């Protein structure tokens, strides 16, 4: 089947998730679709034209994200939405739909009544736990269908490969009908999602409505996902009235603070319900009592017992007995379901396994398979274990290969990663390496999981010594670095260096990749030695020279030598730009925007921003785009072009708010606070400051919070609100105590000193001034030291 067969479906799916409101400033362009879906822009032309002709998309000319002129932008029609819902049943896309409860659904009156009672408590977390096969998912699904009216339902089944980005993408799909694409764009950020930020975006999208969500199979959550949930769930429930259900065999130890929680342990069906269930499937006759007692009322075991008349086996052994009666064709057809990380379409299982749909329907009726959302099925753990125990290793590898072909239908990052995982499990080393070589960025983009890390390590061990094994080890180091497992990342790079067997270029590249993890671990001497080893390695290519300078800049910054770090970073940028190494140039620009705005050389800063903005937008590195825009705004402010500075900051506010970049939005609001204060617009300053402080506090961004509180102190003092000014000034210093010294520390102490001067508390004013002067001297900010010293002399009539 050609790879582009499902491209129209992926286009419709992306537009449904990301489509902005009709009055939005930006629309979705052909280039954006190509970048997001991993296709060449030219390959999008025919499918887009066909979708417009068929009435599934509408098009118009409008502004596009990252563009400088109007282009064709696309929106989904009702026809397209209906077509998408039908077609995604057989396409490998992440689904967040509610699974259908079994038919018949019997009993559980007491459990349903208890869940209804729990659901009357807004802002609650409900645990639903129980042994496998007891019907937890069916129970919660039935309950949600009875209470979802007026609410926004969300269901996410956790698998061993699930990451925070997977969950964020699932939420974006569930909320796409609200016309709020911010969460979908946030899920595309280069860095991993942050629980607080996702909770904030969900709250913005849902507004005054109530979200009712389910996290199923919580026992599979990785440590990374559990940490994410410990921020996400309190962020949703503490200030809102949403309702969340956490379902699993056993609950990991979570720290939810003082969240209201309820717990329901699901056991087996009672005798009456068990009798009704088995009778409606054919009955157990005189075996009922024996089976009921042995199965403890498990719906799964009861159904399997009905499906195996005449079998003398204990209920607990029934899964193995039922699987043992399957022929080899049926075993091979069902194996992909057993090893998959998500439910699979019935139609594909039938086609790939050569087994009739009617037979698969019988397996669903017997309990061997479980119906999920749409026409998808999955398998409970007890059945999965029995099936895998029967399968030979060669058959299991064949099932993995079959799944890799299924996921080859799609270019989406999730499908690419699933294809890679199954190729490695099938021991298709050469094809796995080819996919890693072509799609490493997409494969790593969904974040860390033990399954991905183990697959990269397994691939490295499966490949012969040489460049392929080195690539796998470096990819493993990259995912470990992204996950902040710096020591293990360095170890993987050392193994890659050993594999390089003295190859100078590969060795230098790996050494340069080691420097940042070493800096993160504060192993500054080791990082210095690593850079020295690169220096001794001899001549370097322009790309390696630019990377060397960039790492040198990072090391200088870590040692507190900010002026030298800034200059070295700019040298790295110039080298990369001169030799057209765009990725290194963008990395250098990202570091440079954090270091300085080239105080005293603002024109060069503005020229660099103008030059790199188009490149950053073309590369869809919106995080760097926003940093460049912030640099432009600061540079304008420093040369006295306040109107241009304000316009630049408002542009950041508009674009970051539209795309859900909350960190940049907080920076923009804080920057607008400073600009309004500089202009003496104290009411505007306080309005922006309240928004910035509230948002930065919810996001846990202490740097922005401290800076904004200091600005509030300044603005409130100017308006004569001295008590409020003192409170916010002292709170700013309390937040700054958790951070390294910075310019913000200096100005916060000086602002608070001025408040104490106005309240005639001169002793405390003197203390704050002296601390501001000390910090200015430590930081080497002579210009700031001079300003504060002069101010102290004027206010206190003395020299420090």
């Amino acid at each position: 089947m050609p790879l582009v067969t499902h491209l129209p479906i992926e286009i419709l799916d992306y537009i449904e998730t990301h489509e902005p409101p009709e009055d939005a400033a930006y629309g979705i362009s052909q280039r954006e679709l190509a970048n997001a879906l991993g296709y060449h822009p030219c390959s999008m032309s025919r499918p887009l034209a066909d979708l417009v002709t068929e009435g599934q998309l509408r098009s118009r000319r409008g502004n596009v994200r990252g563009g400088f002129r109007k282009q064709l932008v696309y929106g989904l029609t009702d026809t397209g939405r209906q077509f998408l819902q039908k077609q995604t049943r057989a396409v490998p896309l992440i689904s967040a739909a509610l699974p259908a409860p079994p038919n018949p659904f019997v009993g559980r009156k007491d459990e349903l009544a208890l869940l209804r009672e729990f659901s009357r408590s807004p802002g609650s977390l409900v645990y639903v736990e129980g042994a496998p096969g007891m019907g937890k998912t069916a129970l919660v699904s039935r309950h949600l269908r009875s209470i979802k009216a007026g609410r926004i339902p969300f269901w996410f089944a956790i698998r061993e490969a699930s990451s925070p980005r997977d969950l964020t993408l699932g939420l974006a799909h569930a909320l796409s009908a609200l016309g709020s694409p911010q969460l979908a764009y946030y899920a595309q950020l280069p860095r991993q999602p942050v629980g607080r930020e996702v909770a904030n975006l969900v709250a913005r999208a849902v507004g005054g409505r109530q979200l009712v969500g389910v996290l199923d199979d919580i026992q599979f959550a990785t440590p990374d996902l559990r940490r994410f949930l410990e921020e996400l769930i309190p962020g949703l429930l503490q200030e809102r009235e949403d309702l969340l259900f956490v379902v699993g065999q056993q609950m990991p130890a979570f720290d939810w603070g003082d969240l209201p929680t309820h717990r329901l342990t699901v056991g087996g069906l009672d005798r009456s319900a068990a009798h009704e269930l088995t009778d409606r499937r054919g009955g157990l006759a005189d075996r009922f009592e024996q089976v009921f007692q042995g199965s403890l009322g498990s719906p799964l075991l009861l159904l399997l017992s009905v499906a195996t008349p005449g079998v003398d086996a204990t209920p607990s052994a029934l899964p193995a007995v039922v699987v043992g009666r399957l022929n080899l064709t049926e075993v091979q057809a069902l194996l992909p379901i057993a090893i998959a990380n998500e439910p699979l379409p019935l139609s594909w299982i039938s086609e790939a396994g050569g087994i009739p749909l009617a037979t698969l329907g019988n397996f669903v009726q017997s309990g061997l398979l479980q119906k999920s959302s749409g026409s998808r099925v999955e398998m409970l753990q007890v059945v999965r274990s029995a099936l895998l125990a029967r399968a030979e290793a060669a058959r299991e590898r064949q099932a993995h290969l079959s799944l890799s072909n299924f996921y080859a239908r799609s270019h989406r990052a999730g499908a690419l990663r699933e294809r890679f995982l199954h190729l490695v499990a099938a021991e298709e080393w050469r094809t796995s390496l080819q996919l890693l070589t072509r799609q490493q960025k997409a494969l790593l983009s969904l974040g860390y999981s033990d399954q991905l890390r183990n697959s990269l390590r397994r691939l490295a061990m499966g490949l012969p010594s040489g460049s392929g094994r080195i690539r796998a080890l470096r990819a493993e180091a990259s995912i470990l670095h992204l996950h902040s497992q710096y020591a293990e990342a360095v170890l993987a790079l050392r193994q890659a260096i050993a594999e390089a067997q003295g190859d100078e270029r590969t060795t230098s590249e790996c050494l340069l990749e080691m420097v940042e993890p070493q800096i993160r671990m504060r192993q500054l001497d080791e990082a210095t030695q690593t850079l020295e080893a690169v220096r001794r390695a001899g001549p370097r290519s322009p790309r390696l020279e630019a990377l060397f300078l960039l790492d040198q800049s990072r090391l200088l910054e870590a040692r507190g030598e900010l002026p030298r770090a800034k200059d070295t970073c700019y040298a790295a940028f110039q080298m990369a730009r001169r030799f057209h190494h765009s990725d290194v140039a963008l990395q250098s620009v990202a570091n440079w925007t954090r270091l300085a705005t080239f105080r005293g050389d603002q024109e060069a800063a503005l020229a660099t921003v103008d030059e790199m903005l188009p490149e950053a937008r073309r590369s869809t590195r919106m995080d760097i785009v926003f940093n460049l825009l912030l640099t432009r705004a600061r540079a304008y402010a420093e040369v006295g072009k306040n109107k241009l500075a304000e316009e630049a900051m408002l542009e950041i506010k508009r674009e970051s708010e539209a795309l859900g970049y909350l960190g940049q939005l907080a920076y923009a609001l804080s920057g607008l606070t400073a600009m309004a204060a500089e202009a003496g617009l104290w009411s505007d300053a306080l309005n922006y400051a309240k928004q910035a402080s509230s948002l930065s506090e919810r996001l846990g961004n202490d740097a922005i919070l401290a800076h904004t509180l200091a600005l509030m102190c300044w603005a409130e003092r100017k308006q004569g609100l001295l008590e409020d000014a003192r409170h916010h000034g002292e709170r700013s210093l309390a937040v700054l105590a958790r951070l390294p010294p910075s310019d913000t520390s200096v100005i916060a102490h000086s602002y608070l000193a001025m408040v104490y001067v106005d309240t005639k508390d001169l002793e405390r004013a003197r203390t704050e001034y002296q601390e501001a002067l000390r910090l200015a001297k430590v930081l080497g900010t002579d210009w700031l030291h001079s300003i504060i010293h002069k101010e102290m002399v004027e206010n206190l009539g003395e020299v420090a």
Side-chain angles (χ1 to χ4, degrees), residues 194-213:
V194 178
R196 291 192 193 97
E197 296 182 355
V198 174
N200 198 293
L201 283 167
V202 170
R204 287 166 176 257
V206 174
R209 300 177 67 180
Q210 187 184 41
L211 177 75
V212 55

Side-chain angles (χ1 to χ4, degrees), residues 425-441:
E427 299 183 1
E428 292 286 326
W429 309 127
R430 183 177 178 182
T431 312
S432 301
L433 178 62
Q434 290 173 345
L435 183 61
L436 177 64
T437 303
R438 294 195 308 268
Q439 300 286 357
Q440 179 170 323
K441 182 179 178 182

Side-chain angles (χ1 to χ4, degrees), residues 82-134:
Q82 293 167 7
F83 177 75
L84 176 64
Q85 290 172 354
K86 293 178 182 177
Q87 293 299 316
T88 51
R89 295 173 184 171
V91 181
L93 301 176
I94 292 175
S95 173
L98 294 175
N103 184 22
F105 183 91
V106 299
R108 302 298 192 193
K109 292 181 179 179
D110 292 342
E111 292 92 334
L112 288 169
L114 201 54
L115 288 177
R116 282 194 297 271
E117 181 64 29
F118 293 160
S119 300
R120 294 190 183 99
S121 304
S124 293
L125 182 65
V126 181
Y127 288 133
V128 180
E129 57 188 352
M134 287 299 175

Side-chain angles (χ1 to χ4, degrees), residues 515-516 519-520 522 524 527-528 531 548-570 587-596 740-742 779:
V515 174
E516 189 175 5
I519 293 172
R520 297 278 187 177
R522 299 303 297 173
L524 303 188
T528 302
L531 280 175
F548 179 85
L549 290 170
L550 179 57
D551 276 338
Q552 194 174 40
S553 169
R554 289 168 173 154
L555 182 57
L556 289 167
E557 181 184 1
R559 293 190 183 282
E561 301 180 44
L562 298 185
R564 286 185 62 199
K566 177 187 66 177
D567 293 340
T568 307
C569 187
Y570 193 59
Q587 287 182 61
S588 304
V589 162
N591 272 32
W592 165 73
T593 54
R594 190 182 66 253
L595 284 168
S742 63
L779 294 170

